[in-house]
Amino acid sequence: MSAEAQVGLGHKLGRVRLRFRGWRGQRPFWGGLLTLLGGIPIMYFPYANLTLGTMTIRMATTAGAGSLIIGVLLVVLGLTMWFQPMSRVFAGVAAILLALVSLVVSNFGGFVMGFLLALVGGALGVSWMPTRLEKRSKRREKAPDAGDLDDGAPEPAATGAANGVTPVAGGATDDLSGSSPTNGTNGRHRAG
């Protein structure tokens, strides 16, 4: 392989990697992966033959069909989190419920491995939120001048009149909230 071919391959591989990273960032990828991986041991163990030395242990139970259904549903829910990220909450809650049911139905949830993977994957699917790009304002915000600072203190009547607020009789501004100290309520509201 020539040096030019390796450079071209690296560039293509880099583009594929960046596209995959962008795809992965738009969906609950890890939640879907863990849910998918959690369904595999739940499906597998009821139909597996384990051998210890010369002794064969068959793990088949009367609920083997239930284990198969739960495992297949977990795999489907993991794929749903990947390819339908808008239904991530439903898929996550369903994965959590199926993981809990698998404890009873299929050999303690695939010997707790499948249970834990599906439980964590479902929780990641529920908790994932899509990122929102912040829109930058086209207007530049100005730094406040020293004269524009407002410390929360009420303005005197003369200053309020200079700013366009019309003072009422007694020199106080027209504050109808009932919480201004200038109208005599000192924070208390009137009932009528």
Side-chain angles (χ1 to χ4, degrees):
M1 191 177 264
S2 68
E4 293 86 21
Q6 289 177 350
V7 170
L9 181 65
H11 181 65
K12 289 179 185 176
L13 188 63
R15 277 190 300 170
V16 169
R17 188 173 150 256
L18 286 176
R19 282 190 12 208
F20 176 70
R21 181 183 284 178
W23 179 84
R24 188 183 70 192
Q26 296 173 352
R27 59 203 75 245
F29 177 77
W30 295 109
L33 181 68
L34 290 178
T35 303
L36 189 140
L37 291 177
I40 292 171
I42 291 173
M43 275 191 295
Y44 175 73
F45 285 130
Y47 295 103
N49 290 328
L50 302 175
T51 56
L52 296 173
T54 59
M55 183 172 62
T56 301
I57 301 171
R58 186 168 179 107
M59 301 302 297
T61 63
T62 56
S67 300
L68 183 65
I69 290 170
I70 290 172
V72 167
L73 284 175
L74 284 172
V75 169
V76 168
L77 288 171
L79 292 173
T80 300
M81 285 185 211
W82 281 356
F83 297 110
Q84 294 293 326
M86 298 311 288
S87 61
R88 68 190 181 278
V89 175
F90 167 75
V93 170
I96 290 171
L97 291 175
L98 285 172
L100 291 172
V101 169
S102 75
L103 280 174
V104 179
V105 173
S106 65
N107 298 328
F108 294 113
F111 296 119
V112 185
M113 290 184 301
F115 163 72
L116 288 176
L117 287 171
L119 192 70
V120 171
L124 286 173
V126 169
S127 66
W128 183 83
M129 289 293 293
T131 58
R132 296 176 192 237
L133 299 176
E134 295 180 15
K135 294 182 180 179
R136 294 186 181 198
S137 175
K138 292 182 180 179
R139 291 179 275 147
R140 295 178 59 188
E141 296 189 24
K142 295 192 280 185
D145 296 336
D148 291 342
L149 294 178
D150 184 22
D151 59 353
E155 296 178 352
T159 310
N163 289 338
V165 178
T166 338
V168 228
T173 58
D174 188 18
D175 184 14
L176 300 177
S177 69
S179 61
S180 173
T182 59
N183 63 5
T185 58
N186 291 330
R188 295 173 299 199
H189 295 279
R190 293 192 323 228

